Amino acid sequence: MKLRALSRSLLAGCVACVGVGGVVAQDQEQEPVSATMIIYLDPSVQFFNPVVKGAQDAAAAFNVDLDVQYANNDPVRQNDLIESAMATGVDGIAVAISSSDAFDDSICSAVEAGIIVIGFNNDDLEGADGNCRQAYVGMDEFASGYELGTRMIEAFDLKKGDTVFNPREIPEASFAVARGGGIEKAMEEHGIEVETVRAGLDPAEAQNIMAQALIANPDIKAVFGTGSVTSTVGAGAIRDAGVDVPFGGFDLAVEIADAVESGAMFATMDQQPYLQGYYPIAMIAMAARYGLTPTDVDTGQGAFLDQSRIGTIKPLIGTYR
C-alpha cells in the first residue's frame, strides 16, 4: 500500500495527527501485531458489518494480523474465545462486553497475562470500575437513551400520566440496561410510565411481539426501540397494530433510514460502528509497538439522526455507517 494511502487511512481514523506517514510506514516494516476481535452476536446481525470493516481497515493500515470471531450470544462461547486468544499468544483482544459480570474473570486473566484488552460496542455498566479492560470504544449508551427520551418528550408533548413502550431484544444485556435506563430516567423526570418486554433477536418474532403489545395497550403514547432489531421492525409493528404513535430508536439499517426518511420514525441514535471497529485495532497496534496508552472513545457524539440528517448518511449504511 502506498504511503499516501496509508496516511489517508490513519488520518481518517483520527488516531494520530503528527508524523502520520512515518509511523504507518514503520508499522508496515515491522512484524505484524496479532489481534482477535470478539463480537457477541452472530454474523447475520448486519449492524456489525461496519464494525468488521473498520477493524479490517485498521488492520491493513497498522499491519495487524486480525482474527474476527463471533460468540453467537453465548457467554460460555465468548469466554472460550477469550481464553483461546490468550492461548495463542495474541498481542491484543477487542471484545464486546455485553454483560457486566460474565466476562470479568477471563478479561482480567488476559490483562494479567500482558494482553491488551479493548472493550467495544458494549461496556460493563460500571465502566473501568467493573472490568479490567484498558479502554472502551463505543457510545455512552445511558446518555444516548436519555437524550432520545428527552427529545421525544419535547417533540411529542409527552406528559405526566402517559405510558410509553420500550421493547428490548435482550433485557439483561448491558446495552439494553444502559439505553433503557436512560430512557426510563427521562420518563421518570416527567412522571411517564415505561412498559417493556423481551422482544428477542429474530426480526419477525420481535415485530409480532411489539405489535401485540401495542394492540393490548391502546394507551401507549410512544415507542422506543432499544437496539437494531426493535428499531428495524418498530415502524412495521406500529403499522401492524393499526396505531399512530411516534417512534424513535437506535442504530442504522436501510429499513431504519427509510423509516426516518419517510417520517414513520422520528429519529435514530447512531453509534458509528465503523469507529468501534477501527479504533480498538489501531490502539492495540500502537500499544503493542510503542507502549501508547489505550484511551476511551465516545463514538456516540452527535448521534441524533432525524429526517434532516438521515439522507447524507443513508448511502454509507453497511460500510462506514
Side-chain angles (χ1 to χ4, degrees):
M1 187 179 289
K2 294 182 179 179
L3 179 59
R4 181 178 297 174
L6 289 168
S7 299
R8 245 194 338 260
S9 176
L10 182 56
L11 284 168
C14 301
V15 177
C17 296
V18 180
V20 169
V23 170
V24 175
Q26 185 172 330
D27 286 338
Q28 298 302 311
E29 294 169 359
Q30 297 184 33
E31 287 295 316
V33 167
S34 58
T36 295
M37 168 169 273
I38 301 171
I39 294 169
Y40 73 100
L41 294 177
D42 65 71
S44 70
V45 180
Q46 296 182 29
F47 169 85
F48 285 101
N49 292 346
V51 175
V52 173
K53 176 173 173 52
Q56 291 171 337
D57 286 353
F62 290 94
N63 192 15
V64 175
D65 184 0
L66 175 65
D67 179 32
V68 179
Q69 295 287 336
Y70 294 85
N72 301 331
N73 198 32
D74 181 349
V76 174
R77 174 172 168 77
Q78 182 153 327
N79 276 317
D80 288 345
L81 290 171
I82 294 170
E83 291 166 7
S84 294
M86 289 174 57
T88 61
V90 295
D91 295 299
I93 298 172
V95 57
I97 306 172
S98 56
S99 166
S100 288
D101 303 309
F103 315 117
D104 289 353
D105 290 345
S106 58
I107 289 174
C108 284
S109 294
V111 172
E112 288 167 4
I115 295 170
I116 303 148
V117 180
I118 311 295
F120 73 93
N121 182 249
N122 287 175
D123 195 17
D124 191 292
L125 293 171
E126 296 182 66
D129 291 335
N131 191 279
C132 295
R133 84 327 182 252
Q134 289 141 300
Y136 169 64
V137 179
M139 169 185 277
D140 183 333
E141 296 182 303
F142 184 92
S144 295
Y146 182 80
E147 179 182 353
L148 179 62
T150 299
R151 284 180 180 265
M152 287 189 63
I153 288 169
E154 294 171 351
F156 300 104
D157 194 28
L158 301 176
K159 57 187 180 299
K160 184 176 181 178
D162 284 346
T163 299
V164 300
F165 180 40
N166 176 217
R168 303 175 186 180
E169 290 90 337
I170 313 169
E172 66 276 11
S174 57
F175 81 89
V177 176
R179 295 177 189 176
I183 292 167
E184 287 175 346
K185 183 175 188 293
M187 298 302 126
E188 183 181 350
E189 290 176 352
H190 292 79
I192 299 168
E193 296 293 323
V194 179
E195 285 193 1
T196 187
V197 68
R198 177 183 289 272
L201 293 168
D202 178 78
E205 183 179 359
Q207 182 166 330
N208 181 59
I209 288 170
M210 292 167 65
Q212 292 304 313
L214 289 167
I215 292 169
N217 189 346
D219 293 327
I220 286 172
K221 302 299 184 183
V223 177
F224 293 86
T226 310
S228 59
V229 174
T230 53
S231 299
T232 296
V233 304
I238 291 168
R239 182 184 62 248
D240 292 348
V243 298
D244 182 15
V245 293
F247 167 49
F250 285 81
D251 300 335
L252 279 174
V254 172
E255 295 88 347
I256 293 172
D258 287 345
V260 173
E261 202 166 43
S262 72
M265 187 175 188
F266 170 59
T268 188
M269 305 299 283
D270 172 31
Q271 54 182 315
Q272 302 189 105
Y274 179 88
L275 296 181
Q276 294 179 5
Y278 192 98
Y279 279 127
I281 303 308
M283 285 188 206
I284 287 169
M286 291 189 289
R289 286 205 179 99
Y290 312 118
L292 295 173
T293 304
T295 305
D296 290 351
V297 179
D298 181 359
T299 66
Q301 298 182 50
F304 182 80
L305 299 179
D306 60 5
Q307 203 169 36
S308 69
R309 296 186 63 203
I310 199 69
T312 58
I313 285 149
K314 187 175 177 182
L316 301 172
I317 291 173
T319 54
Y320 293 96
R321 301 304 292 262

